Amino acid sequence: MKYLVFSDVHANAEALETVLREASLTRVDSLVSLGDVVGYGADPERCVHLVEENADIKICGNHDLAAAGVTDFSGFNTIASISIEWTRHVLGEKDIRLIRDYDPIVSRGECLFTHSSPCDPLGWEYIYTMAQAERIFGQFEERFIFIGHTHIPGVISRRSGGGAKIERKTTLALDPETRYLINTGSVGQPRDGLNRASFTLIDLDSGIMEMKRVLYDVAGAQMKIRTEGLPESLAARLATAR
Ligand code: ZN
């Protein structure tokens, strides 16, 4: 079983299309979207449709639920709020219904999928520390726990009987005695300084996991944001990836 797991597309169709091309080239069995399909970017409809056509598991993010009118966005900063207002305006009824059907958390065999912390899938906690990772490993049984939300990719592993540690390699030979917390980063708005779409490939049969980055048409995505009159900082940050 080979999964391609991605998160935080943020209405960036150029980035998502590049990741989907990669998925067909590497012949994955199943695609998983960890949420925040919309918000910030200029192509929410196209991204909702692409996720609907291609992803087998669809998880909801905080921006998705705000755009679909399920939650309020009083806690969002000004730029995010402007973007959510705009997104609500351009999404059709059918798109809103598709977003409302996204799941908060899904367990499939050895894998658990959610947007933020699985401990409280709709609480939108950002996972950054080893203490948070230990709490998650303690509370769940799955061997692979996939999250997004921070837009910063990374893997924390925990060997049975040992403590949690950060994995530095981007390609990992999976150890049968080890569990993994995988932040798959962001497709459409990376924030680790590398302006390439981020996602994870995991092959459960061969036991190999890859944290992938691919170049996409950043200038094309920026142009659409500017054309729609969305805040300039949303276009600028696609290039700086901050
Ligand atoms: Zn996000």
Side-chain angles (χ1 to χ4, degrees):
M1 185 70 177
K2 194 171 182 178
Y3 284 107
L4 187 154
V5 187
F6 64 90
S7 191
D8 296 274
V9 170
H10 284 293
N12 184 338
E14 284 72 16
L16 179 57
E17 281 164 1
T18 305
V19 171
L20 293 175
R21 261 196 301 281
E22 209 57 29
S24 66
L25 288 174
T26 50
R27 296 172 191 279
V28 299
D29 301 303
S30 189
L31 274 89
V32 180
S33 165
L34 296 184
D36 276 3
V37 175
V38 301
Y40 297 136
D43 239 332
E45 276 187 297
R46 174 104 185 110
C47 291
V48 169
H49 295 167
L50 285 172
V51 165
E52 199 57 33
E53 286 159 23
N54 291 281
D56 305 300
I57 294 172
K58 287 156 280 183
I59 302 293
C60 57
N62 48 327
H63 288 254
D64 298 324
L65 295 188
V70 177
T71 55
D72 75 23
F73 49 98
S74 51
F76 281 35
N77 65 37
T78 311
I79 302 283
S81 301
I82 291 169
S83 149
I84 290 298
E85 294 272 17
W86 178 87
T87 303
R88 270 190 184 185
H89 183 72
V90 299
L91 284 177
E93 268 305 308
K94 190 168 163 262
D95 303 321
I96 300 279
R97 274 202 302 277
L98 293 174
I99 292 174
R100 286 184 177 183
D101 277 345
Y102 293 173
D103 294 305
I105 188 163
V106 169
S107 176
R108 200 58 67 80
E110 292 183 287
C111 300
L112 184 68
F113 304 103
T114 194
H115 184 69
S116 58
S117 171
C119 303
D120 181 10
L122 298 176
W124 317 121
E125 180 187 356
Y126 292 91
I127 305 300
Y128 285 118
T129 69
M130 298 305 259
Q132 288 172 306
E134 290 282 13
R135 183 161 52 92
I136 292 168
F137 282 126
Q139 232 175 291
F140 295 87
E141 304 269 296
E142 286 85 352
R143 203 170 142 222
F144 305 100
I145 299 168
F146 289 93
I147 60 172
H149 196 40
T150 63
H151 297 211
I152 296 178
V155 180
I156 295 174
S157 66
R158 190 182 198 287
R159 203 172 152 79
S160 68
K165 70 164 194 177
I166 296 171
E167 296 286 351
R168 305 280 174 196
K169 289 182 183 161
T170 52
T171 299
L172 288 175
L174 301 167
D175 172 62
E177 297 300 313
T178 301
R179 298 172 62 212
Y180 299 86
L181 174 65
I182 303 115
N183 189 319
T184 190
S186 169
V187 169
Q189 197 196 77
R191 293 180 193 160
D192 62 345
L194 187 60
N195 63 3
R196 299 177 179 196
S198 178
F199 60 95
T200 305
L201 280 174
I202 184 166
D203 187 333
L204 297 176
D205 304 313
S206 67
I208 300 288
M209 181 165 72
E210 294 174 85
M211 302 297 283
K212 301 279 284 185
R213 302 304 285 266
V214 288
L215 283 169
Y216 74 94
D217 179 12
V218 173
Q222 288 179 310
M223 197 181 69
K224 284 184 188 166
I225 288 172
R226 291 176 177 133
T227 304
E228 294 297 339
L230 286 161
E232 168 56 27
S233 61
L234 293 175
R237 77 184 306 179
L238 296 185
T240 58
R242 294 288 180 198

